[in-house]
């Protein structure tokens, strides 16, 4: 197949853009130039809200007909840390020994470069027009607080009447090789703080006080003792993990009046947020046996559990991976949250990108071979999708 775009060159040039969240760093400008050159209508928009840094985003579309496939991703990267510790400077985009080094090489400028190269090749091979619509939804706010990125971008697109049929989010998904794993869902995430109220007093006269630390540790032990579930067909068991225990007592002779324990729950599809809250509160209630005064303050969460439905799109992607990379991907739901949690409210979404092993690390890198393979698989997906 004719190749008009080189994913390694595009990835290298993207890595050279210093786009640490919320900086655009020239990365979206580069994508705009590439896509508008291929006939895409490109729009750039900056989203802002009080208390957060404004962030630039990009939406590009080619074609007006169905079906409509959208590639989603982010050009922002996490900070490089101490740049002196990198073997190759984090924003140099150096290629050495078959590896492309740099912040974002796998998470996820490399993935975007492969999608761009595949799209440009596909479009060039089909007279400048896909047999349907092909889009790019690229944000600069994924690694940060993620409020001026994909959520607002999706809303913006929906308000203009944009309808997506399917989405590929190019986040790193591979464990050891491209295509050995794709993400078909993600666990939900919920944060809470358990507070026990006692009665403050002198440490030498405990009979006159009520130490909330005693009850808090008992309640924490109860919550850690029993699993939340046994896992489900596509998910590991849910997990409650305490992240901080706080009394904030600066002195040695005082029994504190209140004690707090913060926790995070990563939950699977045995639960929704409401049922999970009620399960945790029921367990605390049982352990407290009306003796401890407690409450849980839940933080609002936009990270619900989700799972892609099996069907032709999943089969198409799995088939393209098998054909080009020669392996059958494991359908995984592991890892933290991603922008797929927002996209899934608009259309079916699968996460398929490079190998994630070095993401967010010093010396983040991808093999050049992986860039070539991922581009070929993406191109096969486009052929099948618009074929
Ligand atoms: Zn990422």
């Amino acid at each position: 197949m004719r190749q008009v775009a080189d994913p390694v060159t595009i990835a290298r040039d993207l890595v050279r853009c210093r786009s640490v969240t919320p900086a655009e760093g020239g990365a979206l400008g580069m994508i705009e130039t590439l896509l508008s050159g291929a006939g895409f209508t490109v729009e750039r928009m900056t989203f802002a809200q009080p208390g957060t840094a404004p962030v630039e985003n990009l939406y590009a579309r080619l074609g007006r007909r169905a079906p409509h496939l959208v590639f989603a991703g982010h050009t922002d990267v996490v900070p490089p840390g101490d740049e002196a510790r990198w073997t190759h400077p984090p924003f140099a985009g150096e290629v050495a020994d078959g590896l492309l080094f740099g912040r974002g090489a796998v998470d996820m400028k490399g993935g975007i470069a492969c999608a761009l190269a595949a799209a440009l090749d596909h479009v060039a091979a089909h007279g400048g027009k896909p047999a349907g619509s092909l889009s790019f939804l690229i944000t600069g706010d994924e690694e940060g607080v993620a409020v001026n990125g994909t959520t607002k971008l999706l809303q913006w697109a929906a308000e203009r009447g944009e309808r997506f049929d399917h989405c590929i989010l190019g986040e790193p998904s591979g464990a050891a090789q491209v295509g050995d794993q794709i993400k078909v869902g993600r666990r939900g995430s919920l944060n809470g703080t358990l507070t026990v109220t006692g009665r403050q007093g002198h440490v030498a006269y405990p009979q006159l006080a009520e130490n909330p630390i005693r009850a808090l540790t008992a309640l924490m032990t109860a919550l850690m003792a029993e699993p939340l579930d046994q896992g489900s067909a596509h998910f590991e068991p849910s997990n409650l993990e305490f992240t901080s225990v706080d009394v904030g007592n600066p002195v040695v002779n005082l029994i504190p009046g209140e004690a707090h324990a913060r926790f995070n729950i990563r939950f699977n599809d045995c639960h929704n947020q409401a049922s999970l809250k009620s399960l945790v509160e029921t367990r605390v209630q049982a352990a407290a046996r009306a003796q401890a005064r407690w409450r849980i303050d839940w933080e609002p969460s936009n990270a619900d559990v989700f799972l892609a439905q099996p069907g032709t799109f999943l089969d198409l992607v799995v088939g393209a991976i098998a054909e080009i990379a020669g392996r059958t991907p494991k359908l995984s739901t592991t890892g933290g949250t991603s922008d797929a949690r927002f996209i899934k409210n608009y259309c079916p979404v699968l996460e398929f990108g490079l190998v994630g092993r070095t993401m967010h690390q010093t010396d983040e890198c991808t093999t050049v071979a992986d860039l070539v393979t991922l581009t070929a698989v993406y191109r096969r997906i486009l052929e099948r999708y618009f074929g």
Side-chain angles (χ1 to χ4, degrees), residues 102-120:
R103 177 57 82 227
V106 291
D107 186 13
M108 56 166 281
K109 289 173 170 176
I112 291 179
C114 295
L116 287 167
L120 297 181

Side-chain angles (χ1 to χ4, degrees), residues 59-72:
Y59 178 63
R61 176 171 180 165
L62 180 64
R64 297 310 313 171
R65 289 186 290 146
H68 189 176
L69 178 64
V70 58
F71 271 113

Side-chain angles (χ1 to χ4, degrees), residues 74 76 107-108 142-143 171-172 359-360:
H74 62 90
D76 61 321
D107 186 13
M108 56 166 281
E142 198 274 342
E143 301 286 11
E171 288 280 6
M359 61 185 180
H360 294 208

Side-chain angles (χ1 to χ4, degrees), residues 126-146:
H126 291 82
K129 286 189 179 66
S133 300
L134 179 57
S135 292
F136 282 83
L137 191 76
I138 308 292
T139 181
D141 187 22
E142 198 274 342
E143 301 286 11
V145 286

Side-chain angles (χ1 to χ4, degrees), residues 25-104:
L28 294 178
M30 214 193 105
I31 294 173
E32 177 177 11
T33 304
L34 281 172
L35 289 177
S36 54
F40 282 76
T41 305
V42 183
E43 292 175 82
R44 304 262 303 268
M45 60 296 279
T46 301
F47 296 127
Q49 81 180 42
T52 61
V55 180
E56 289 191 52
N57 297 272
L58 177 149
Y59 178 63
R61 176 171 180 165
L62 180 64
R64 297 310 313 171
R65 289 186 290 146
H68 189 176
L69 178 64
V70 58
F71 271 113
H74 62 90
T75 49
D76 61 321
V77 294
V78 294
D82 182 359
E83 297 194 24
R85 296 185 56 191
W86 286 66
T87 312
H88 303 273
F91 299 103
E94 286 179 10
V95 176
D97 302 324
L99 297 164
L100 167 67
F101 286 88
R103 177 57 82 227

Side-chain angles (χ1 to χ4, degrees), residues 332-349:
S332 163
T333 57
T334 58
T337 60
S338 75
D339 275 353
R341 73 187 189 270
F342 306 126
I343 299 169
K344 68 105 169 46
N345 297 327
Y346 294 83
C347 72
V349 53

